[in-house]
Amino acid sequence: MAAKRWGQFFKKRQAPRHTAPLPEDIETIRQKALRGYHLEQVLWGKILLDSIYMPSDPQQAKVWFTMAANAGYGPAHNMLGRCAHFGWGGPRDLLQAASHYETAAQHGDEWGRYNLAILTMRGIGVPQDLKKALGLFQTAANNGHAKSMNILARFLEEGWEIEQNRTEALAWYKRSAEGGDYRGQHNYATALADSGHLQEALMWWEKALPNATSDILLAMNRSLEKLENHGNPALYAALQQRLSTLPLTEGNITENAIKA
């Protein structure tokens, strides 16, 4: 199924919820989940978390994640971690979130490894340990996880727990950008613009725009406003449109968030 279609199932939608018969492909996921397929159990749990086809049921979603997690399926532990992290289907419990993320990582799930690294880097629910976080990001990045590539680049750029190497940082930002991470795309575009490669930078900012969150949108805005004619008038106009419709809160507009 195309990524655009998946987005309709997993992202919050404004359309009214209803209990009409499920589309064939969604019903196939449900049936395979019932037959014990671990991937489909996780996918069905995600649908239960938020779908246009039925009311949200986080508690039931956790039941399905638990089924797959009990079979040792890493992505299911990652989702249980997210449930505990954000209080989906129960109280928020950061220690439990970290435990599930760690188990996910032990089972080879790179999202679990990344999420554990984020908690460890920031000291959320677990003691802050930049060295441990760096190791987690390095492993995930080397295994192809684009978001981890971006943060590994930040460690290299700043010299956090590793020898500063801005050339290598740029290479990781590029790999993150090519892997589809909007933060990596923004950071790579910023580096390109700073080195005089404006047209290529504008191309990467354009790629980052559709999925970027408010902190990245504001950082892009600051960068484009410094350019003559805003670099690309069409891109700048599209950015202003996104900024005008996206809720911006103090909590998600921080300098530290721009590259993390």
Side-chain angles (χ1 to χ4, degrees):
M1 179 183 298
K4 182 177 180 181
R5 184 77 187 280
W6 281 120
Q8 295 174 347
F9 305 142
F10 300 151
K11 291 184 178 179
K12 291 187 178 297
R13 309 293 290 178
Q14 297 301 318
R17 299 180 185 276
H18 56 81
T19 56
L22 296 173
E24 183 178 353
D25 46 3
I26 303 301
E27 178 62 22
T28 297
I29 289 173
R30 190 179 76 89
Q31 291 297 330
K32 292 187 76 172
L34 288 167
R35 295 200 299 272
Y37 288 83
H38 305 322
L39 170 61
E40 281 73 18
Q41 287 173 338
V42 171
L43 292 177
W44 180 240
K46 289 182 178 181
I47 292 168
L48 288 169
L49 281 177
D50 188 48
S51 169
I52 63 174
Y53 299 110
M54 65 196 73
S56 176
D57 192 344
Q59 291 183 335
Q60 189 63 24
K62 287 179 65 176
V63 170
W64 288 98
F65 297 146
T66 300
M67 289 182 194
N70 286 342
Y73 189 56
H77 279 286
N78 177 60
M79 289 308 302
L80 285 174
R82 287 178 63 77
C83 288
H85 191 162
F86 298 104
W88 300 338
R92 192 170 185 232
D93 187 333
L94 292 172
L95 284 175
Q96 187 179 73
S99 177
H100 278 298
Y101 290 150
E102 186 159 17
T103 302
Q106 290 169 353
H107 286 287
D109 182 66
E110 303 310 330
W111 276 108
R113 200 182 317 276
Y114 168 83
N115 288 326
L116 176 61
I118 290 291
L119 295 187
T120 305
M121 179 178 71
R122 296 176 177 169
I124 300 174
V126 295
Q128 186 179 42
D129 187 337
L130 288 181
K131 185 174 182 179
K132 179 179 178 180
L134 171 61
L136 291 165
F137 287 130
Q138 284 177 317
T139 299
N142 284 315
N143 288 338
H145 191 259
K147 285 190 174 294
S148 295
M149 294 174 189
N150 174 61
I151 303 189
L152 173 57
R154 183 79 190 277
F155 272 75
L156 286 161
E157 183 180 19
E158 303 294 343
W160 295 339
E161 299 295 332
I162 194 171
E163 184 178 352
Q164 188 177 55
N165 189 328
R166 290 179 175 170
T167 299
E168 189 175 353
L170 182 63
W172 279 109
Y173 280 138
K174 180 180 181 182
R175 289 184 63 181
S176 176
E178 292 172 343
D181 178 46
Y182 65 84
R183 292 183 185 276
Q185 290 166 344
H186 164 70
N187 291 329
Y188 186 47
T190 300
L192 287 168
D194 289 345
S195 62
H197 297 86
L198 181 57
Q199 291 308 310
E200 190 176 358
L202 291 168
M203 179 194 74
W204 284 110
W205 272 320
E206 187 173 0
K207 288 180 181 293
L209 180 61
N211 296 315
T213 47
S214 56
D215 57 317
I216 297 300
L217 293 174
L218 287 174
M220 289 172 58
N221 190 56
R222 288 193 294 270
S223 295
L224 291 177
E225 285 185 339
K226 295 177 183 177
L227 303 175
E228 184 178 355
N229 297 322
H230 300 134
N232 180 326
L235 173 60
Y236 184 75
L239 172 59
Q240 299 313 304
Q241 175 61 26
R242 283 222 56 203
L243 285 170
S244 71
T245 59
L246 197 69
L248 304 178
T249 62
E250 184 177 350
N252 62 11
I253 304 172
T254 67
E255 289 300 319
N256 287 336
I258 289 174
K259 290 188 177 181

